[in-house]
Amino acid sequence: MNTTIRTQVGILGAGPAGLLLAHLLQKAGIDSVVIDSRSRADIEGTVRAGIVESPAAAVLAKSGVSDRIYTDGMKHDGVEFHFDGGRHRIDFNALIGKSVYLYPQHEVLRDLIAARIRDGVPPLFEHKADAVLDAESSCPRIVGTDAAGQTFDITADIVVGADGSGSIARIPVSGSRGGYFREYPFGWYGILVEAPPSAPELIYSRGDDGFVLISTRDKKVQRMYFQCDPSMDVNSVSDDQIWDRLQAGVAGIELKRGPIFKKDVLRFRSFVAGELRKGRVFLIGDAAHTVPPTGAKGMNLAFSDVLWINQALRSFFASGSERLLDAYPHNALDRIWRAQNYSYWMTSMLHVAPDASEFDKKRSLGELYSVTTSRYGQQYLAEGYVGWEYGADDWM
Ligand code: PHB
């Protein structure tokens, strides 16, 4: 049997971008259907990264998703940079009067899913999209298969691909156009450890052996990374070697150890799709772009796309005008490329490329000193880290 569904906006992907969009559309009286191939338990149970920028936190709270971020999230007023044997604090609050929130993405997802359920329109989990069809007609379709093996066919006025870096929606939109791509010659070896925090704020450290990041998930679970070869086998180092490598990166701070319960290797990529729109199909979030994790921009950048497309869809359904739909790629790309630059800049400044010469290493230290000893340099860093205000500000 085939299930057919008619809706105004078909959204692929129950990640932060797809769910936030569905929430904002509903507030404007626009119907949508969100599908995702994963189960709810899978989406909510995967521990994910956690820096929420100040404007992103405001969107979640003000749009009524949840203000748990302000009560349960950990407010961070700064970060530390360690390099060349010294420690340099970037005081966000003193520099620009804002903070970030350590509130892991799986908590954001729980809040967003709870909001969809509260509003009576739960996402369709375990619905795997096989293709997006008829992009250039006035009723594009999403076809796929559900967990029971039944096919479904969702016909919409607009389809939005928020289905991550392996996006199906990207095929009709920019499949043949490729995109803009950069791969880095290093990645991160990450661990999740059961232990209390080792430091009150995140530590970004650049040593001769490369980069180390000391981050946190909550009071009992910590996240730490060290720079590694992107093809490194996760099981090729012992726990003792992991601790030695992390500890060497943050001399002067005693890392609190505990059982390591997850290890992974993250590859670094910068990517922007060649096109963000084809006819009535649009790309947002990781389907449209990927950033390396150093600047913690992923979800925060996705929210910018959401606000632009939300504004365009509201105008389209209210007036029939495609003016803001036409403007979506241009509007979204402005922040996308600024965030690409910021993430690339943080990444290249803090890592040591495998082929770095002595000149390259010393120049990098020069850059770090330039930024951390200048008020303007610190302000530039803080402004980008805490998050630029969103462009589409009339989102409610
Ligand atoms: C993380 O906690 O996983 C994390 C934090 C900050 C970053 C990147 C990742 O810049």
Side-chain angles (χ1 to χ4, degrees), residues 44-258:
E44 293 188 341
T46 310
V47 177
R48 289 170 206 279
I51 300 283
V52 181
E53 295 174 357
S54 162
V59 168
L60 290 169
K62 283 194 201 154
S63 69
V65 173
S66 167
D67 58 7
R68 237 167 31 100
I69 201 160
Y70 294 133
T71 54
D72 299 6
M74 287 186 272
K75 184 160 143 323
H76 281 223
D77 294 332
V79 289
E80 277 201 15
F81 277 55
H82 290 196
F83 58 91
D84 204 21
R87 293 162 63 166
H88 307 258
R89 179 163 188 264
I90 308 291
D91 186 336
F92 302 146
N93 220 349
L95 288 159
I96 52 168
K98 290 182 198 161
S99 308
V100 294
Y101 294 85
L102 217 308
Y103 188 71
Q105 207 184 102
H106 51 270
E107 297 293 341
V108 175
L109 287 166
R110 279 177 204 165
D111 292 342
L112 284 163
I113 291 171
R116 305 312 315 120
I117 292 170
R118 195 169 62 223
D119 291 342
V121 275
L124 303 178
F125 298 108
E126 298 178 73
H127 277 58
K128 185 182 168 301
D130 293 324
V132 173
L133 306 173
D134 306 332
E136 292 185 274
S137 79
S138 59
C139 38
R141 293 187 296 138
I142 307 168
V143 294
T145 321
D146 68 17
Q150 286 195 355
T151 55
F152 63 83
D153 186 329
I154 300 170
T155 303
D157 297 304
I158 303 279
V159 166
V160 177
D163 49 344
S165 51
S167 172
I168 292 285
R170 202 190 290 145
I171 296 167
V173 176
S174 84
S176 57
R177 289 289 305 271
Y180 307 92
F181 189 74
R182 185 175 215 287
E183 181 114 31
Y184 297 77
F186 42 75
W188 283 357
Y189 190 104
I191 60 164
L192 280 170
V193 54
E194 230 174 87
S198 290
E201 292 178 342
L202 267 60
I203 301 173
Y204 291 81
S205 167
R206 182 198 181 282
D208 284 344
D209 293 336
F211 176 72
V212 164
L213 171 60
I214 307 301
S215 180
T216 178
R217 287 292 169 272
D218 54 42
K219 290 195 177 74
K220 293 187 184 146
V221 174
Q222 311 312 314
R223 182 71 159 146
M224 304 179 190
Y225 305 93
F226 63 84
Q227 180 180 336
C228 70
D229 187 297
S231 62
M232 177 173 173
D233 173 4
V234 198
N235 298 312
S236 63
V237 277
S238 68
D239 288 9
D240 282 344
Q241 287 170 314
I242 293 172
W243 285 116
D244 287 349
R245 178 72 190 80
L246 290 166
Q247 185 60 70
V250 288
I253 294 219
E254 167 114 13
L255 290 181
K256 300 212 170 93
R257 302 186 182 194

Side-chain angles (χ1 to χ4, degrees), residues 266-293:
L266 274 66
R267 285 176 171 271
F268 274 40
R269 292 198 174 100
S270 297
F271 168 75
V272 180
E275 301 286 343
L276 302 188
R277 173 198 189 171
K278 176 79 155 229
R280 292 285 186 93
V281 182
F282 294 81
L283 301 180
I284 65 173
D286 282 1
H289 43 72
T290 317
V291 287

Side-chain angles (χ1 to χ4, degrees), residues 43 49 85 111 177 283 304 310 329 338 343 383 389:
I43 293 174
D111 292 342
R177 289 289 305 271
L283 301 180
S304 163
N310 167 62
R338 282 189 289 132
S343 305
E383 200 184 20
E389 289 304 321

Side-chain angles (χ1 to χ4, degrees), residues 307-322:
L307 298 188
W308 283 120
I309 197 73
N310 167 62
Q311 185 187 55
L313 290 170
R314 284 180 2 174
S315 154
F316 173 67
F317 286 111
S319 70
S321 162
E322 294 204 18

Side-chain angles (χ1 to χ4, degrees), residues 18-29:
L19 292 168
L20 178 64
L21 178 61
H23 175 74
L24 296 178
L25 290 175
Q26 197 203 9
K27 291 180 79 70

